[in-house]
Amino acid sequence: MRIYEWFDRRLNLTSVERTLLDEPIPGGASWIYVFGSATLFLFLLQAITGMFLAIYYAPTPDHAYDSIQFIEEQVAFGAFVRGLHHWGASGMVVAIGLHMLQTFLYGAYKSPREVMWMVGVVLFLIVMAFAFTGYLLPWDQTAYWATQIGLNMVGTVPLVGEFLMKVMRGGELLGALTLSRFFAVHVLFLPAILVTMIAAHLFILRRVGPAGPWTDERASLGRETFYPRQVYMDAVVMLAVFAILASLALLVPFPLTDKANPSDTSFVPVPEWYFLFYYELLKYVHGPLEPLATWVLPMVVILGLFFWPFIDRNPVRNPIKRPAALVSGLLFLLVVFSLLGLSIKNLYAVPRVDPALARGQALYQQFGCIGCHRIHGEGGAVGPDLSYIGDTRPDREWHLKHFRDPQSVSPGSFMPKFPLDEKQLNDLASYMLSLKRTPS
Amino acid sequence: MSEQQGGLEEGGDYTPVGSRRTFFGWVTKVAAGLVGLGLAIPLAGYVISPALKRRVQSWVEVGRVDSLPEGEPSQLEYVTIVRDGYLEAKTQKAVWAVKQPDGAVTVFAPLCTHLGCGYHWDTTDRQFKCPCHGSVYDVTGAVLAGPAPRALDRLPTKIELGRVLVMYKEFKSGLSKSVEL
Ligand code: FES
């Protein structure tokens, strides 16, 4: 405290403190106002964890994957820090979504806060750009192929798309130049822009003041200072957000997939959940209509959001008295969430394992094949290693014959004949064929 | 409610006072402290962890006993794989080895104990000489002249089936005792 007084006498800090903390909130502090500060908190958390990740990360195709693996496996708390950054990104999208929803519901974007809303929409777009550029950095299969798709979408924009895509990619192929420019954009360019825009957003907030309740009568009931009650609410929410992210980082591992392999086109990439609805939308639009979905529609939505305060010119803020705005907002959310739901359902509907494989694997156990054969280091070494038998012997007929009578296809084999019926033979063969280096 | 309005100021703003204010302030500080600790501890460990990792040391073959001349130091070069964080790099090392009359082999670390320069064996003077600041050692590694604070560092050595195996180590320079890095 003595130190504070010393500085206070020289820098006159008390007045700064008053300006910062005694900001009046019309109608008093409320739990509904915490989303903005939660978003800000998440941004700070992303900035901090990001800086620490950069301590070990190497943005080149030959080292990016290894450096992340090093963070995951060798560095103390490495998986935790990376987990926080990963889940923090999702948290940020959720927080920003709720913040925008609250602003929309309260009509807080209306005059005189139009500019603040527009800056907010830009902030939202920057966050999405962060998500897109960050996704590539681990340089694993998911990252590589999801980014490939994202870039190809840019390519479908009429006239300039091809050129734009090449600029983003840094040339003809997704490679070293793409990775380093995504990295630079993610850790240098975007943060600089984001900080500037956050400053503008907060500056406007302090110039026009918080919107408060939607009825003037309730707002005029009283104006409570920002400190201590709103600060306390914000702090409690920040702690809760941190607790959720920390538990996710600790409990839900977020492993790397295989290292990016440009020649393996069999990999099915899945974008992050907040891009899923868009990914789903593209499944329904093909051919000449494609640019409509990849370009026109997003443009319309973004511009619509951006200019929303001028589209909704009704000065009333009470949500009940502006059904048109409310219904259009709800409709928008309904579409986004149905698409998201559909997409998640489809993802889970894809049978991860063919039931025949499971049955074949059960037979493998049941007949004790493991006694002689080895699969991924488990089992005896009497017979051939079957780890990648699907690659070396892709012929189903061969397997069927072999199970019926091993001598018929490999003379001299001392593998016994097993009493299997047709279905069992087929199941076991399916299981053998599935043992490949790159599971399809 | 009355307490909440208690802090009413001239401008019409109110601010909680008394025990309510203390409570809010206290919760705020606890929350900030928990988040701060929850970050500070893992992040500190995250940064420090490579500093605490001991280099994994292993025996490396540097040559065969038969090929070493007795009593005459020879420089043995060998290639080892060094793990540098997530990189694996091949590096070349060179150590000085002297075969003793009893067949044992003494191996010296290749760095001068003064400030870590590379020294060489002067065949005419039969001395190890460091060109940097003029340290001189005899064939057993003992200091004969110059600023070197201690004898040449010896590396753990063993002979297996006629092969000389060495465990490479580095030592702090400038100390009168051998301290491993
Ligand atoms: S380093 Fe050898 S004499 Fe200085």
Side-chain angles (χ1 to χ4, degrees):
Chain A
M1 269 300 104
R2 289 265 291 282
I3 300 170
Y4 179 81
E5 278 158 24
W6 191 88
F7 276 105
D8 187 30
R9 250 174 278 127
R10 280 149 189 89
L11 306 175
N12 196 9
L13 295 175
T14 310
S15 68
V16 178
E17 198 187 301
R18 294 217 135 212
T19 323
L20 288 177
L21 297 177
D22 288 350
E23 160 84 355
I25 301 168
S30 166
W31 290 102
I32 199 86
Y33 301 151
V34 298
F35 300 119
S37 35
T39 312
L40 186 61
F41 170 70
L42 280 162
F43 166 65
L44 293 175
L45 196 66
Q46 289 304 88
I48 292 168
T49 47
M51 287 179 216
F52 278 85
L53 286 173
I55 286 182
Y56 298 107
Y57 179 70
T60 63
D62 34 357
H63 300 317
Y65 183 82
D66 298 334
S67 66
I68 302 250
Q69 203 165 45
F70 180 73
I71 292 173
E72 279 281 324
E73 291 166 11
Q74 308 283 316
V75 178
F77 300 103
F80 179 68
V81 176
R82 177 166 178 253
L84 273 186
H85 197 70
H86 168 76
W87 294 108
S90 285
M92 189 123 181
V93 175
V94 171
I96 246 188
L98 291 172
H99 186 45
M100 289 176 89
L101 203 65
Q102 193 248 333
T103 309
F104 185 85
L105 204 68
Y106 273 59
Y109 54 84
K110 291 172 189 251
S111 174
R113 296 182 186 80
E114 301 96 323
V115 189
M116 194 167 160
W117 167 268
M118 288 157 90
V119 172
V121 171
V122 174
L123 279 167
F124 171 72
L125 295 177
I126 297 173
V127 167
M128 292 324 254
F130 262 109
F132 181 62
T133 49
Y135 208 59
L136 178 67
L137 302 186
W139 203 250
D140 61 354
Q141 284 283 69
T142 323
Y144 187 89
W145 293 105
T147 306
Q148 184 83 286
I149 291 181
L151 286 172
N152 285 339
M153 282 184 194
V154 176
T156 62
V157 175
L159 300 175
V160 288
E162 185 76 19
F163 176 70
L164 251 174
M165 174 174 76
K166 280 184 191 162
V167 172
M168 285 172 78
R169 207 165 48 189
E172 282 304 317
L173 50 98
L174 177 40
L177 297 187
T178 323
L179 182 56
S180 56
R181 68 179 52 208
F182 270 48
F183 176 69
V185 169
H186 189 78
V187 308
L188 298 167
F189 291 74
L190 287 176
I193 305 171
L194 190 72
V195 168
T196 317
M197 296 309 270
I198 289 176
H201 199 63
L202 293 178
F203 175 78
I204 300 168
L205 172 69
R206 295 308 299 269
R207 298 310 295 166
V208 301
W214 54 67
T215 54
D216 289 338
E217 307 89 70
R218 280 190 49 203
S220 59
L221 272 182
R223 307 191 316 157
E224 182 179 357
T225 50
F226 179 62
Y227 185 83
R229 206 153 70 98
Q230 188 65 55
V231 172
Y232 140 84
M233 289 169 175
D234 289 349
V236 168
V237 169
M238 287 175 191
L239 178 61
V241 168
F242 182 73
I244 293 170
L245 292 180
S247 334
L248 283 171
L250 287 172
L251 303 174
V252 188
F254 174 59
L256 289 161
T257 50
D258 288 337
K259 188 171 178 165
N261 177 4
S263 62
D264 172 16
T265 49
S266 69
F267 192 81
V268 183
V270 178
E272 263 296 17
W273 63 266
Y274 35 81
F275 288 127
L276 267 179
F277 75 97
Y278 187 48
Y279 186 69
E280 185 69 21
L281 177 70
L282 294 180
K283 288 189 194 160
Y284 304 108
V285 204
H286 293 293
L289 285 180
E290 208 174 10
L292 201 72
T294 55
W295 178 68
V296 180
L297 202 62
M299 259 326 183
V300 168
V301 170
I302 289 169
L303 289 177
L305 265 180
F306 190 74
F307 290 111
W308 183 253
F310 307 102
I311 297 169
D312 173 20
R313 309 189 65 105
N314 181 356
V316 183
R317 284 184 47 212
N318 190 338
I320 301 158
K321 290 186 185 145
R322 44 192 190 99
L326 223 60
V327 166
S328 50
L330 264 172
L331 226 70
F332 175 72
L333 287 183
L334 205 70
V335 171
V336 168
F337 278 97
S338 326
L339 281 172
L340 178 63
L342 258 179
S343 162
I344 290 176
K345 200 177 131 226
N346 286 347
L347 278 180
Y348 279 97
V350 175
R352 303 243 158 227
V353 201
D354 180 349
L357 301 187
R359 289 196 302 266
Q361 192 165 17
L363 287 170
Y364 185 85
Q365 300 289 344
Q366 185 187 334
F367 287 101
C369 311
I370 196 165
C372 295
H373 293 281
R374 188 178 286 257
I375 293 180
H376 300 311
E378 242 192 283
V382 180
D385 187 325
L386 299 178
S387 302
Y388 303 114
I389 192 75
D391 284 322
T392 45
R393 281 209 188 277
D395 178 11
R396 178 177 287 266
E397 280 309 307
W398 185 92
H399 287 283
L400 294 176
K401 268 194 203 142
H402 178 252
F403 294 142
R404 274 193 209 103
D405 181 13
Q407 313 277 347
S408 69
V409 283
S410 46
S413 163
F414 52 79
M415 171 157 153
K417 296 181 192 175
F418 285 101
L420 298 165
D421 62 36
E422 279 305 308
K423 186 165 176 282
Q424 288 176 319
L425 278 172
N426 257 308
D427 291 345
L428 195 54
S430 299
Y431 176 52
M432 288 298 121
L433 294 173
S434 74
L435 296 170
K436 288 187 179 171
R437 235 161 256 283
T438 45
S440 47
Chain B
M1 215 49 192
S2 63
E3 203 177 24
Q4 194 176 348
Q5 313 256 310
L8 204 67
E9 288 168 18
E10 319 83 70
D13 300 346
Y14 65 83
T15 175
V17 291
S19 61
R20 273 171 65 81
R21 185 183 173 91
T22 324
F23 171 76
F24 294 140
W26 190 79
V27 174
T28 303
K29 278 175 199 139
V30 169
L34 284 177
V35 173
L37 273 182
L39 274 179
I41 295 169
L43 290 181
Y46 178 91
V47 174
I48 293 168
S49 90
L52 302 179
K53 261 205 189 111
R54 275 250 141 241
R55 190 190 322 247
V56 261
Q57 290 170 326
S58 56
W59 293 97
V60 188
E61 182 182 343
V62 296
R64 304 198 63 86
V65 185
D66 324 333
S67 56
L68 292 176
E70 197 180 302
E72 187 72 15
S74 34
Q75 195 168 27
L76 301 176
E77 288 188 1
Y78 63 96
V79 172
T80 109
I81 291 181
V82 177
R83 255 202 94 76
D84 170 15
Y86 44 85
L87 296 180
E88 266 183 357
K90 275 188 185 166
T91 53
Q92 212 165 14
K93 302 262 186 218
V95 291
W96 286 95
V98 192
K99 182 151 82 177
Q100 308 299 334
D102 61 356
V105 176
T106 312
V107 177
F108 297 114
L111 304 177
C112 174
T113 58
H114 175 225
L115 286 176
C117 290
Y119 55 83
H120 62 263
W121 175 249
D122 188 321
T123 39
T124 42
D125 292 354
R126 293 196 53 76
Q127 285 168 341
F128 287 111
K129 288 188 176 165
C130 181
C132 300
H133 318 91
S135 289
V136 181
Y137 310 84
D138 71 7
V139 70
T140 69
V143 182
L144 296 177
R150 62 167 190 268
L152 288 175
D153 300 307
R154 293 177 183 216
L155 296 176
T157 308
K158 64 181 179 185
I159 295 173
E160 259 173 25
L161 305 167
R163 303 174 304 154
V164 183
L165 301 177
V166 164
M167 192 180 278
Y168 190 81
K169 290 182 176 183
E170 277 178 33
F171 302 87
K172 275 197 191 132
S173 60
L175 301 177
S176 56
K177 274 226 197 89
S178 233
V179 177
E180 215 182 297
L181 265 180

